[in-house]
Amino acid sequence: MLAAAVAVLLASAAVGCGDAGELQGAGATPTAISPDRLWPDLTPASRPAFDIGEVDTEVVKGITVPDGDIRKVDPVAVVRKEIAEHPGDYGQGSYDETARRMADCGKSGAQGSRCPVLKAYYRDLTGDGHPDLTLGFRQLPGNLTAVRVYTVRKNRLVKIMAYEDAVSGVELAGRSVIIRAPSEVAGYEYRLQWTWDQQQQAMLLTHDEMRRTGGRKRSPRPSASGASPAAPAGRPAPSSASASSASASASPSSRVSSSASGR
């Protein structure tokens, strides 16, 4: 009887050990549904409805890159150059406060904190083994933040991505710049991902989605203040300085109007 009891205990232990590594059922699997093609007789479009300049790049004239080292480029000088080249965007009634506050850049104390240029970040986004420059500056008055990415080609500074939005967060991940922006839908936010494309030699918009954040409080989408031009609704229109400046819109499918071309 003792031998039989020991045998039963050993068998139970063996079964328990075997169960630890076995697959477990996860419940019923939803039935796969094949996609349905709608309006098969509709003539496919051959060209886009909006020119967003998503593969355009721009050499920043007047800014040199000593020894090809982008860290030696003054970010404030880069923003000043953009403002000077697009006076219509930074003149009276537009982002004129940004232009005025540029005079505070480089100063110490409270006055220096008024500078609209944000901290610059350096990371290899193009995969060439050299750091690239991710630059941000406030477009004032209002709540818009301009995000720019620059690389170096033959000691020349080249803008490879530009976007403006009511930004709630910016991240660098791998070869991508991820921009999070508030949504008019409570508990959701927009998430846009710009990724370096070797073939196009530009940052392309690879993901544009609305994601749940978990909150329930309604968060109206910020826009420029009354002193600025009204923020566009629906698909943002290009700015007066170029065909690629943008702000936010009400749906993730119609948000983007700026990309690699900058302003």
Side-chain angles (χ1 to χ4, degrees), residues 37-49:
R37 182 184 177 188
L38 306 185
W39 309 300
D41 297 330
L42 184 65
T43 303
S46 59
R47 57 188 301 176

Side-chain angles (χ1 to χ4, degrees), residues 35-263:
D36 291 327
R37 182 184 177 188
L38 306 185
W39 309 300
D41 297 330
L42 184 65
T43 303
S46 59
R47 57 188 301 176
F50 301 94
D51 180 12
I52 64 175
E54 59 186 358
V55 296
D56 295 342
T57 60
E58 177 184 352
V59 175
V60 182
K61 299 179 180 179
I63 301 290
T64 59
V65 186
D67 303 321
D69 186 355
I70 202 168
R71 294 179 181 272
K72 296 181 179 181
V73 176
D74 182 8
V76 173
V78 176
V79 176
R80 283 185 174 135
K81 187 68 177 178
E82 178 170 329
I83 292 174
E85 290 183 350
H86 305 292
D89 286 346
Y90 297 94
Q92 184 65 35
S94 193
Y95 304 126
D96 52 346
E97 187 174 341
T98 294
R100 289 196 304 270
R101 289 195 184 187
M102 290 301 295
D104 297 323
C105 297
K107 297 180 180 179
S108 60
Q111 192 169 4
S113 65
R114 289 172 48 83
C115 176
V117 182
L118 306 177
K119 176 184 177 181
Y121 288 88
Y122 301 90
R123 180 168 178 164
D124 181 11
L125 296 174
T126 60
D128 62 358
H130 301 283
D132 301 298
L133 168 62
T134 302
L135 177 63
F137 62 95
R138 302 299 308 279
Q139 292 186 320
L140 305 168
N143 296 318
L144 297 182
T145 300
V147 180
R148 307 282 187 260
V149 177
Y150 300 88
T151 191
V152 179
R153 295 175 187 165
K154 298 180 180 180
N155 292 343
R156 296 185 301 175
L157 190 67
V158 181
K159 185 189 300 181
I160 57 174
M161 177 253 176
Y163 187 70
E164 295 91 31
D165 208 337
V167 171
S168 58
V170 180
E171 303 169 10
L172 299 181
R175 300 285 181 261
S176 300
V177 178
I178 300 170
I179 299 176
R180 294 185 295 106
S183 166
E184 291 178 342
V185 180
Y188 289 81
E189 69 176 6
Y190 292 112
R191 182 181 184 275
L192 295 93
Q193 180 172 329
W194 303 80
T195 304
W196 170 253
D197 185 273
Q198 185 66 28
Q199 181 176 350
Q200 299 298 330
Q201 292 288 292
M203 302 288 289
L204 302 184
L205 180 66
T206 53
H207 292 84
D208 182 1
E209 59 184 348
M210 178 182 285
R211 301 186 67 180
R212 185 169 179 81
T213 60
R216 293 187 176 183
K217 184 178 180 180
R218 180 176 177 82
S219 177
R221 185 166 187 74
S223 62
S225 70
S228 301
R235 179 184 290 270
S239 71
S240 59
S242 75
S244 60
S245 201
S247 63
S249 71
S251 66
S253 62
S254 63
R255 288 170 44 76
V256 180
S257 72
S258 75
S259 58
S261 65
R263 290 183 156 280

